[in-house]
Amino acid sequence: MIGTRQKELLKTIIEEYVKSARPVGSKALCKKFKCSSATIRNDMAMLEDLGYLEKTHISSGRIPSDEGYRYYVDNLMEPKKISGEDMLKLQTIFNNKELELNDAITKSLEIISDITNYTSVVLGKESSDNLLKKVEVVPITSKQLIAILITNTGHIENKNIILDDNIPSEEIAKTTELLNKMLIGTPIDEVPSKLEFEVKPIIRNYIQNYEVVYNAFYNALSNFTSERDVKFTGKANILKQPEFSTVDDVKNIISKFESKDMVSKIEEANDEVKIYIGSKSDIDDNVTVVKTKYKAGGREGTIAIIGPKRMEYERVVNMLEYLKENIEAKGKENIIEKESK
């Protein structure tokens, strides 16, 4: 059973280690707790036996274990209000009526990444959860087009289309009109099959160069379906942390950030802010992932902050809660604005 003094001692060690990244020894704690060095050492040994602290090889001090951080987060962490300066920076983003929701989310995460020095991520839903809303085409030359693909969630992608032959602009316009007529409202992952079995049989009735045009548009829209809306901000921030000081550590975490498997590990199904420490992060034993699911304006996804286990937990949790609240509020505002037009 962990006593009151041991709880306070664990809390102090974790908060001191978060600041300094150096093992905490008994001498540094004697004055604060008004106890002898022997008493502090005994308490630290007990916390180590319980699995909350670890002894390092380079000093007699202790550092928190994964279990220690978990106990701190669940039992000792005190609510910490987001600072006025940080709140003002984020409010500036969400009060900007000119910003679309996606841009507001991206910019706010950029701010959080900057002020925390951690990595932030926004992850949209799988393509199967998106519906094609509109296809626009901008001719560049007679053989080059830019296709602008827009989903119901507001995700936009530009696709460069190269045609094998010179195609009259009126044939491109007819094709675009046909695609919008037949594909609007189609789930993104169903677009290729609908193109193949519904659009392809009738496009020959619309234009003369149907084979060249169909193949070009099929490639553009099929590639769109395989991509997921995910944005990392501050990837390099994690490398500034002393936990990633060796070349092997750096190579390892960078390879994980570039891995497609990591995307699925970041996704969160829970509406609450959840904290995944060390091995529980499914990313790296030396990181913590704090994340939550958001729903806004008919869209949903995951926002996450990735940092070392030696993280300012109270600050990050409160920032993420504040961010989620404002994302969902802006989503409601966008719906009201669209309905009033």
Side-chain angles (χ1 to χ4, degrees), residues 147-324:
I148 304 169
L149 312 174
I150 306 168
T151 73
N152 65 313
T153 64
H155 179 65
I156 301 172
E157 278 191 33
N158 300 326
K159 294 292 182 181
N160 191 36
I161 298 178
I162 304 296
L163 301 167
D164 293 334
D165 300 316
N166 293 323
I167 306 297
S169 58
E170 55 269 22
E171 292 203 356
I172 299 299
K174 285 181 180 179
T175 303
T176 306
E177 182 183 352
L178 176 65
L179 293 174
N180 278 300
K181 191 179 293 184
M182 298 190 69
L183 297 180
I184 297 311
T186 302
I188 289 298
D189 62 343
E190 294 177 18
V191 167
S193 61
K194 200 161 184 178
L195 280 166
E196 184 68 19
F197 297 109
E198 296 184 30
V199 175
K200 189 176 182 180
I202 68 168
I203 194 172
R204 68 180 66 214
N205 300 324
Y206 275 71
I207 60 174
Q208 184 176 351
N209 300 279
Y210 63 88
E211 248 185 87
V212 171
V213 175
Y214 171 79
N215 289 335
F217 275 91
Y218 180 86
N219 290 334
L221 271 72
S222 296
N223 289 337
F224 178 60
T225 68
S226 64
E227 296 174 10
R228 192 168 187 186
D229 190 11
V230 55
K231 293 185 181 72
F232 282 85
T233 300
K235 278 186 182 181
N237 286 348
I238 199 82
L239 306 182
K240 299 174 185 176
Q241 307 297 333
E243 289 86 344
F244 300 93
S245 56
T246 71
V247 173
D248 286 342
D249 290 336
V250 170
K251 285 181 179 178
N252 181 48
I253 197 67
I254 287 177
S255 68
K256 288 178 178 178
F257 274 6
E258 299 299 330
S259 168
K260 290 183 179 179
D261 292 338
M262 185 174 174
V263 172
S264 61
K265 292 172 182 176
I266 290 173
E267 187 168 19
E268 177 58 52
N270 202 300
D271 287 330
E272 297 177 359
V273 173
K274 304 292 283 185
I275 300 171
Y276 300 89
I277 300 168
S279 60
K280 299 295 184 183
S281 72
D282 287 332
I283 294 174
D284 188 273
D285 288 350
N286 288 319
V287 307
T288 284
V289 180
V290 184
K291 56 185 176 177
T292 187
K293 179 181 178 181
Y294 71 85
K295 295 179 182 178
R299 311 169 197 182
E300 59 181 82
T302 298
I303 47 175
I305 297 175
I306 304 172
K309 290 186 293 187
R310 188 185 48 80
M311 174 188 279
E312 291 184 273
Y313 287 95
E314 304 99 322
R315 189 183 190 198
V316 170
V317 167
N318 281 285
M319 280 187 177
L320 215 55
E321 287 175 344
Y322 182 83
L323 185 55
K324 172 185 169 71

Side-chain angles (χ1 to χ4, degrees), residues 33-246:
F33 287 90
K34 298 177 181 176
C35 294
S36 68
S37 183
T39 300
I40 296 295
R41 283 198 300 272
N42 286 338
D43 284 345
M44 291 171 83
M46 188 198 79
L47 290 169
E48 188 177 349
D49 289 341
L50 290 171
Y52 297 141
L53 293 179
E54 296 174 347
K55 187 180 286 185
T56 66
H57 299 295
I58 56 173
S59 81
S60 59
R62 307 297 202 283
I63 64 171
S65 65
D66 286 12
E67 290 79 10
Y69 283 118
R70 185 79 260 169
Y71 188 88
Y72 173 80
V73 165
D74 292 341
N75 301 284
L76 306 176
M77 186 172 73
E78 297 174 358
K80 186 177 181 180
K81 288 184 179 179
I82 185 169
S83 75
E85 185 181 353
D86 292 345
M87 187 182 291
L88 184 61
K89 290 177 181 177
L90 293 170
Q91 280 179 340
T92 303
I93 297 297
F94 288 105
N95 291 339
N96 187 343
K97 302 295 183 184
E98 301 300 316
L99 279 180
E100 287 290 331
L101 180 60
N102 279 357
D103 292 332
I105 294 172
T106 300
K107 289 184 180 298
S108 61
L109 282 169
E110 286 173 1
I111 289 173
I112 285 180
S113 186
D114 185 52
I115 60 184
T116 61
N117 228 14
Y118 303 145
T119 301
S120 61
V121 190
V122 56
L123 176 66
K125 291 295 287 180
E126 290 280 6
S127 60
S128 58
D129 297 307
N130 289 273
L131 308 179
L132 188 64
K133 183 179 179 181
K134 192 175 185 181
V135 179
E136 296 179 358
V137 175
V138 179
I140 304 301
T141 68
S142 58
K143 287 189 175 183
Q144 184 181 6
L145 315 167
I146 299 293
I148 304 169
L149 312 174
I150 306 168
T151 73
N152 65 313
T153 64
H155 179 65
I156 301 172
E157 278 191 33
N158 300 326
K159 294 292 182 181
N160 191 36
I161 298 178
I162 304 296
L163 301 167
D164 293 334
D165 300 316
N166 293 323
I167 306 297
S169 58
E170 55 269 22
E171 292 203 356
I172 299 299
K174 285 181 180 179
T175 303
T176 306
E177 182 183 352
L178 176 65
L179 293 174
N180 278 300
K181 191 179 293 184
M182 298 190 69
L183 297 180
I184 297 311
T186 302
I188 289 298
D189 62 343
E190 294 177 18
V191 167
S193 61
K194 200 161 184 178
L195 280 166
E196 184 68 19
F197 297 109
E198 296 184 30
V199 175
K200 189 176 182 180
I202 68 168
I203 194 172
R204 68 180 66 214
N205 300 324
Y206 275 71
I207 60 174
Q208 184 176 351
N209 300 279
Y210 63 88
E211 248 185 87
V212 171
V213 175
Y214 171 79
N215 289 335
F217 275 91
Y218 180 86
N219 290 334
L221 271 72
S222 296
N223 289 337
F224 178 60
T225 68
S226 64
E227 296 174 10
R228 192 168 187 186
D229 190 11
V230 55
K231 293 185 181 72
F232 282 85
T233 300
K235 278 186 182 181
N237 286 348
I238 199 82
L239 306 182
K240 299 174 185 176
Q241 307 297 333
E243 289 86 344
F244 300 93
S245 56
T246 71

